[in-house]
């Protein structure tokens, strides 16, 4: 059974940092694209960052502040978030994609975690 489990969320002041981690289990994810999305109250789920092979992709709103990385035989996906802003407040989701399409699209993903809350206070 495939499972994605996020951790590392919490409350932080603006300008601070958090590191999210996603532990994937149930199969080998080496060939999968993996990404982070977020959803704020009343808004649609939006792309944050993704990685497939040696390629990384970032939303313009987080470029230069967030860094996505994979480790542990590619079954761990991390998101280092620096210089956090109140507008980064959302539930953050980890996702895995078997396909080769656009990792910035929410429809590209086959598996999702339950999410972890990130709250940035001003």
């Amino acid at each position: 059974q495939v499972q994605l489990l996020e951790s590392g969320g919490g409350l932080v002041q603006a300008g601070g940092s958090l590191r999210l981690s996603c532990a994937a289990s149930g199969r080998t994810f080496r060939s999968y694209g993996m990404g982070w999305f977020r959803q704020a109250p009343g808004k649609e789920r939006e792309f944050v960052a993704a990685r497939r092979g040696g390629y990384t992709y970032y939303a313009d709103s987080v470029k230069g502040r967030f860094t996505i990385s994979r480790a542990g035989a590619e079954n761990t996906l991390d998101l280092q978030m620096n210089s956090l802003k109140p507008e980064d407040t959302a539930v953050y989701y980890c996702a895995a994609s078997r396909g080769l399409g656009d990792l910035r699209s929410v429809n590209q993903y086959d598996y999702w975690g339950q999410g972890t809350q990130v709250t940035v206070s001003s």
Side-chain angles (χ1 to χ4, degrees):
Q1 181 179 358
V2 173
Q3 187 174 20
L4 302 179
L5 185 62
E6 302 99 336
S7 62
L11 173 65
V12 65
Q13 289 188 330
S17 299
L18 281 174
R19 187 176 183 88
L20 305 183
S21 187
C22 172
S25 61
R27 65 183 62 208
T28 300
F29 286 86
R30 187 181 300 274
S31 62
Y32 283 55
M34 296 189 72
W36 288 96
F37 286 74
R38 66 187 182 188
Q39 188 166 17
K43 295 188 176 181
E44 293 186 353
R45 192 168 298 189
E46 66 173 5
F47 170 73
V48 175
R51 187 179 178 100
R52 180 192 288 126
Y55 296 92
T56 56
Y57 310 89
Y58 294 96
D60 288 343
S61 60
V62 307
K63 203 170 293 184
R65 299 188 297 123
F66 291 10
T67 302
I68 189 171
S69 60
R70 294 181 70 167
E74 308 288 335
N75 274 28
T76 300
L77 182 71
D78 292 335
L79 185 69
Q80 178 66 42
M81 306 186 295
N82 298 329
S83 302
L84 283 161
K85 305 175 182 180
E87 51 263 44
D88 295 317
T89 295
V91 177
Y92 282 70
Y93 297 90
C94 171
S97 169
R98 294 175 295 184
L100 297 177
D102 186 356
L103 290 177
R104 294 166 294 184
S105 170
V106 67
N107 296 320
Q108 181 62 32
Y109 292 83
D110 303 285
Y111 304 105
W112 292 86
Q114 293 299 306
T116 184
Q117 177 70 47
V118 171
T119 303
V120 184
S121 63
S122 57

